[in-house]
Amino acid sequence: MGAASAPGEIPFVVRGSVTDGRPLTAHADGAPGRLDLDGLVWPAHRPAPLFDVPVAEVVDLLVELGDWIRRDPDGILAAALEGLIDVCGASRALEQRAYAALGDYFGRELLEFQLEQELGGPAALDGWRTVTAPGSTRPSFVRAFPARMVHVLAGNAPGVAAISIARSALVKGASLLKLPSNDLFTAPALLRGISAVAPGHPLEQSFAAVYWRGGDAGIESVLLRPQFFDKLIVWGGTAAVKGVTAYVGPGLELVSFDPKTSISVIGKAAFADGADLRTIAAAAATDATLHNQDACTASRFQFVEGTLDEVDQFCALLTAELGIERAKAADRSQPVPGELRDEIDGLRNLAPYYRVWGATDGTGMVVRSEEPVDFYPTGRLVNVVAVPEVKSVLGHLNAATQTVGVYPDTLREQLRDDLCSVGVQRVTSLGCAGDTRLGLPHDGFYPMARMVRWGKDES
């Protein structure tokens, strides 16, 4: 998905008020119409709108929102989907599947699971929890206070907007959602759903979703200040993260879902008698093509333990499975970028140190090497790295490695301590990288625990 290349119309939603028809590029400086910056902040001298609302009531409303999403009685989600496809150049099949799953983020069991796992339940959000420190006979009291937050959303998956809204609501936060240029429609549509199920409720008053050009100092230097916001929640690539770090300081905390790369590790058991190598390659292809290879969980590098002949056999099967995954998903795949094609063509002449399978047209391509290539695989391109011993992969991993899918599961259990010790944040079975479970650590931390301000009263 790319950014819009021509002016389009975006609905902005501020505390339930919808302003339609704001042009994406209305002014020469790229600003999307005149933003009322005063209306985008919540005064620090007053509690957040949801402060006195029981968490159970918030959960009930979010469950109603999930039902509204699935029914879409007014066609708001359908219109948002068309806007996403038309204005932002998204793949219809891909986004249809993503929109069909939006309601799932607001299921009761999932919401309550997140509260329990990340915050120990709603008690600390609804009042002061009594604790007694070792060696003290005097009780202390702890409470989680709602934070005022700016969320710099990523546009590579509509679920990012749903996750951000659900988390913010569960911690009773007040959140300004900065729309990404490649998804201008999902977050406003979901906020309109909140207005439909809870008109005038403090939940409706706790959100705003608007767009401005990233890096616009005229807006960001005014808004991103500790007197207006407590937390800066950033999703996205290196540019998005670096672009806002200048505003981080005392009183304005950065919570960053940094850009990540994910990999697969396939042990020599894949080539043992009785192993179904084609099924293993199919699982590896599933992980490689997540959200058309836009997701940070997509496996771009796959380390395979075996001889070159064995690894090459896997590569041929993986190439075929990449094409099957594309046809099955009916995705509009982007071709391998032009600047990489000459480099890849050059690798074809370096056999047996490198081998190349497939085509650069987005149907699937595999480059086999004995060290990871120094370019970023994209365009349904996977770099398979042949390794003689599986633990040698540890030298190629660090805190920028998010997910590692491992085959077989016995190897996953053997490697997980070593993988997480070098910085990996998530280990999963091969083929399951897309099964991201909310309520568990995300990028190495519990997000909702960092989306509140913790207060204590020591008697």
Side-chain angles (χ1 to χ4, degrees):
M1 295 182 295
S5 58
E9 295 193 343
I10 332 161
F12 290 171
V13 179
V14 179
R15 296 188 180 90
S17 176
V18 181
T19 303
D20 287 311
R22 297 264 188 148
L24 176 59
T25 52
H27 301 291
D29 64 358
R34 294 185 179 277
L35 287 175
D36 176 12
L37 300 186
D38 290 338
L40 300 180
V41 301
W42 288 263
H45 65 277
R46 292 200 299 267
L50 285 168
F51 179 72
D52 289 321
V53 178
V55 171
E57 183 178 326
V58 175
V59 170
D60 287 344
L61 291 174
L62 292 177
V63 172
E64 287 188 45
L65 173 61
D67 178 64
W68 178 91
I69 292 169
R70 285 181 283 270
R71 293 185 296 108
D72 193 19
D74 304 309
I76 291 173
L77 266 297
L81 175 61
E82 292 305 315
L84 179 59
I85 293 167
D86 294 343
V87 176
C88 303
S91 161
R92 178 174 294 277
L94 186 66
E95 303 307 341
Q96 283 176 332
R97 292 196 302 276
Y99 265 53
L102 286 177
D104 297 342
Y105 293 102
F106 302 97
R108 183 178 301 278
E109 289 186 359
L110 178 58
L111 297 170
E112 292 177 347
F113 178 76
Q114 291 176 78
L115 282 167
E116 188 64 35
Q117 293 298 312
E118 299 197 43
L119 294 168
L125 289 160
D126 284 342
W128 291 90
R129 185 178 61 190
T130 304
V131 295
T132 301
S136 174
T137 59
R138 296 179 297 130
S140 298
F141 307 91
V142 175
R143 182 168 187 175
F145 282 80
R148 301 163 301 156
M149 296 175 277
V150 176
H151 299 252
V152 181
L153 301 180
N156 61 335
V160 169
I163 291 169
S164 299
I165 289 169
R167 284 175 174 161
S168 178
L170 289 173
V171 299
K172 303 185 183 182
S175 289
L176 168 61
L177 309 176
K178 182 202 173 298
L179 304 175
S181 62
N182 55 343
D183 187 354
L184 300 159
F185 300 93
T186 304
L190 295 175
L191 297 190
R192 293 177 71 181
I194 290 177
S195 295
V197 301
H201 191 274
L203 182 62
E204 181 190 56
Q205 302 303 308
S206 298
F207 287 99
V210 300
Y211 172 81
W212 67 83
R213 185 183 57 190
D216 187 337
I219 295 174
E220 293 177 352
S221 65
V222 175
L223 280 180
L224 304 185
R225 296 183 180 184
Q227 60 262 47
F228 299 134
F229 292 99
D230 309 299
K231 310 277 185 175
L232 184 54
I233 319 292
V234 184
W235 299 71
T238 302
V241 176
K242 287 186 175 180
V244 298
T245 53
Y247 302 104
V248 176
L252 181 58
E253 179 188 0
L254 176 67
V255 180
S256 176
F257 300 105
D258 294 338
K260 305 290 183 184
T261 297
S262 294
I263 71 163
S264 302
V265 175
I266 298 167
K268 60 185 177 183
F271 305 105
D273 291 342
D276 187 342
L277 190 59
R278 182 175 294 278
T279 298
I280 296 166
T286 298
D287 286 351
T289 56
L290 290 170
H291 211 78
N292 208 9
Q293 215 176 24
D294 280 335
C296 56
T297 50
S299 173
R300 301 171 188 271
F301 297 87
Q302 303 197 354
F303 295 81
V304 183
E305 182 185 30
T307 67
L308 284 185
D309 286 344
E310 288 172 333
V311 175
D312 286 355
Q313 182 185 3
F314 170 81
C315 290
L317 292 172
L318 176 61
T319 305
E321 292 297 333
L322 289 172
I324 291 171
E325 281 293 318
R326 176 180 181 272
K328 184 167 60 179
D331 284 340
R332 182 178 62 200
S333 302
Q334 297 296 323
V336 174
E339 62 270 20
L340 294 184
R341 295 178 194 175
D342 290 343
E343 185 168 357
I344 293 170
D345 284 341
L347 296 180
R348 294 181 189 272
N349 300 319
L350 298 177
Y353 300 104
Y354 295 92
R355 282 196 65 185
V356 180
W357 291 260
T360 58
D361 59 1
T363 56
M365 172 171 270
V366 173
V367 174
R368 191 266 293 146
S369 58
E370 296 181 52
E371 291 288 330
V373 296
D374 58 4
F375 55 80
Y376 190 64
T378 187
R380 208 169 285 263
L381 167 64
V382 177
N383 176 210
V384 171
V385 183
V387 293
E389 200 280 318
V390 73
K391 282 203 171 184
S392 63
V393 70
L394 297 173
H396 300 292
L397 309 181
N398 53 40
T401 311
Q402 192 213 58
T403 296
V404 178
V406 183
Y407 176 88
D409 280 338
T410 53
L411 179 61
R412 174 179 56 81
E413 294 173 4
Q414 293 169 18
L415 288 179
R416 59 190 178 190
D417 284 347
D418 289 333
L419 291 170
C420 292
S421 293
V422 298
V424 171
Q425 292 103 57
R426 177 172 174 252
V427 183
T428 186
S429 300
L430 188 72
C432 299
D435 184 19
T436 304
R437 298 170 188 176
L438 299 177
L440 302 180
H442 187 151
D443 283 2
F445 59 91
Y446 283 102
M448 293 203 304
R450 293 186 59 186
M451 290 172 65
V452 295
R453 296 182 300 105
W454 291 95
K456 63 178 180 178
D457 169 20
E458 298 174 331
S459 63

